[in-house]
Amino acid sequence: MVIRDYKVEDCDAVSKLFFETVHSVNSKDYTDEQLFAWASSVEDFKHRRYDALLAQHTAVADIGGKVVGFASIDKSGELDLLFVDKDFQGQGIATALCNEVEKDFDIITTYASITAKQFFENRGYFVEKEQEVERLGVKLRNYKMKKIK
């Protein structure tokens, strides 16, 4: 596995990975309606996230030329996105991506899904608050979490 910087050419692979991961990995914690609101289409993700992926420090996990995960963090230390391909879960990819994007920050915040909450707690994050966010008129539960190194 190689962890490298995101390139514009990765946009299609990252967008597809995001959509498929939400609709498979997160399906045990969210309803179909919530999953659709969160990730309605690959094209919607590209449209909403294209500029953010370039503006943030975005890292990609690559195995044999295939994008199997990605993470992004903004200049304030907010870990924005972390997703790993459904077929590559539990192989240390999310940990490697977090190690890369977190390295320049002493305080990191994130908004973790129900599914990701335990992963972040295992990395030393704590819950600041549980909340409901609304997307496309649908409420989804997540957790504002913080890590202080």
Side-chain angles (χ1 to χ4, degrees):
M1 173 177 57
V2 174
I3 302 296
R4 61 172 174 77
D5 287 338
Y6 170 84
K7 302 179 285 193
V8 173
E9 301 84 57
D10 296 320
C11 186
D12 287 341
V14 162
S15 300
K16 183 178 178 195
L17 187 151
F18 167 78
F19 180 83
E20 290 178 354
T21 301
V22 167
H23 285 273
S24 58
V25 175
N26 297 96
S27 65
K28 68 181 191 262
D29 297 311
Y30 295 92
T31 67
D32 287 344
E33 180 184 37
Q34 290 171 319
L35 296 171
F36 179 79
W38 183 358
S40 58
S41 71
V42 173
E43 291 305 314
D44 178 61
F45 178 82
K46 282 192 228 180
H47 176 73
R48 287 187 302 119
R49 306 305 305 182
Y50 182 83
D51 291 333
L53 290 171
L54 293 171
Q56 297 176 354
H57 175 199
T58 303
V60 169
D62 183 310
I63 296 178
K66 175 182 172 76
V67 174
V68 296
F70 71 99
S72 68
I73 195 165
D74 71 15
K75 291 174 180 22
S76 73
E78 182 179 302
L79 195 145
D80 185 20
L81 299 166
L82 174 64
F83 290 90
V84 174
D85 184 295
K86 63 183 175 17
D87 297 326
F88 290 84
Q89 298 283 309
Q91 297 180 27
I93 295 167
T95 297
L97 286 164
C98 282
N99 289 344
E100 171 60 27
V101 299
E102 291 176 354
K103 68 183 178 187
D104 295 328
F105 298 94
D106 292 326
I107 299 172
I108 303 118
T109 59
T110 194
Y111 295 88
S113 67
I114 297 167
T115 313
K117 179 178 176 267
Q118 186 65 54
F119 170 80
F120 285 109
E121 287 175 333
N122 291 344
R123 289 191 59 76
Y125 285 74
F126 60 90
V127 175
E128 284 194 311
K129 71 176 182 175
E130 180 178 332
Q131 61 187 15
E132 282 191 338
V133 295
E134 191 171 311
R135 172 114 170 96
L136 302 177
V138 178
K139 293 186 179 191
L140 297 100
R141 177 178 301 138
N142 73 11
Y143 303 89
K144 182 178 182 188
M145 300 184 77
K146 183 179 275 188
K147 177 180 182 178
I148 302 171
K149 292 183 182 176

